[in-house]
Amino acid sequence: MKEFKLKNGDAVLIRQATKNDAIEIIECINKISSETDFLTFGNGEFVISIEQEERFLEDISRQNNAIFIVVEIDCTIVGTLSFSGGGRPRISHTGELGISILKEYWGNGIGTELIKYLIEWCKQSGVIRKINLEVRNDNFSAIHIYKKLGFTKEGVITRFIQINGVFYDGLFMGYTID
């Protein structure tokens, strides 16, 4: 768990999600998907039942190479970060992160704090040696944050996302835990 304050004085809490958060996580992610085209899914495309989300959160909580964290302001979830390591021994040391934050909270340092939390968790895990992510190449704010925190560009994915017939390239980025 981690607490900090935004510039405007709002208290922020970062913590691991539990199955009791399932409904609110689904609602938050669905709202975010209607606010941005930077996700790999759009409005109405995050289709998962409450029971499926509860099972997913319970499964992650039992793994030593996966974590799902939420960020709360005034006891309301305003963002999430998921990280899952590989399921086989040869790739269990590496995994991919996904992050999403309600648009009204962009630019307040929440994403930076979520990723710092993940990096520290990975270091403490004793398992994770590499964090990977994919980001749309025109998501300049996110790329800036990733670079600032030590992620490096590792490759380009052409035609990564297609929205309304327009293709967007993506970047592979990585962070080595050593």
Side-chain angles (χ1 to χ4, degrees):
M1 188 166 25
K2 179 179 185 178
E3 296 181 47
F4 65 98
K5 290 202 182 280
L6 297 181
K7 294 173 193 168
N8 68 6
D10 285 348
V12 179
L13 174 67
I14 296 174
R15 64 172 176 81
Q16 291 189 36
T18 69
K19 80 175 204 170
N20 296 332
D21 297 314
I23 295 170
E24 196 173 354
I25 288 169
I26 292 168
E27 290 170 353
C28 181
I29 291 173
N30 278 321
K31 183 173 182 188
I32 294 167
S33 71
S34 72
E35 298 177 330
T36 181
D37 283 334
F38 289 133
L39 299 176
T40 56
F41 54 90
N43 190 20
E45 295 176 353
F46 184 73
V47 181
I48 187 168
S49 72
I50 295 165
E51 294 78 19
Q52 289 171 315
E53 183 71 8
E54 288 174 341
R55 278 193 304 276
F56 171 74
L57 293 168
E58 285 182 323
D59 288 346
I60 280 193
S61 72
R62 288 190 286 270
Q63 297 174 31
N64 66 353
N65 68 344
I67 189 170
F68 195 103
I69 55 181
V70 295
V71 58
E72 292 182 336
I73 297 176
D74 294 327
C75 299
T76 300
I77 295 174
V78 300
T80 65
L81 183 146
S82 63
F83 177 85
S84 293
R88 296 184 193 102
R90 292 183 180 189
I91 58 171
S92 64
H93 68 285
T94 186
E96 188 163 325
L97 87 88
I99 186 170
S100 56
I101 300 166
L102 290 170
K103 194 169 191 170
E104 68 184 282
Y105 295 101
W106 289 5
N108 287 297
I110 293 172
T112 298
E113 293 300 323
L114 279 169
I115 296 167
K116 285 180 180 178
Y117 187 101
L118 173 66
I119 290 169
E120 188 56 35
W121 179 87
C122 288
K123 289 177 179 177
Q124 299 300 316
S125 75
V127 177
I128 302 301
R129 311 304 298 161
K130 175 88 184 304
I131 302 169
N132 296 311
L133 62 85
E134 299 167 1
V135 59
R136 240 176 68 174
N137 71 336
D138 62 338
N139 190 346
F140 304 116
S141 295
I143 293 167
H144 173 76
I145 292 167
Y146 299 139
K147 284 182 177 179
K148 176 179 76 174
L149 293 173
F151 284 77
T152 58
K153 292 181 185 179
E154 296 184 345
V156 174
I157 311 157
T158 60
R159 294 184 167 208
F160 173 58
I161 291 178
Q162 179 187 3
I163 301 170
N164 299 323
V166 178
F167 292 100
Y168 299 90
D169 292 347
L171 298 177
F172 274 129
M173 297 185 79
Y175 182 96
T176 303
I177 308 287
D178 277 335

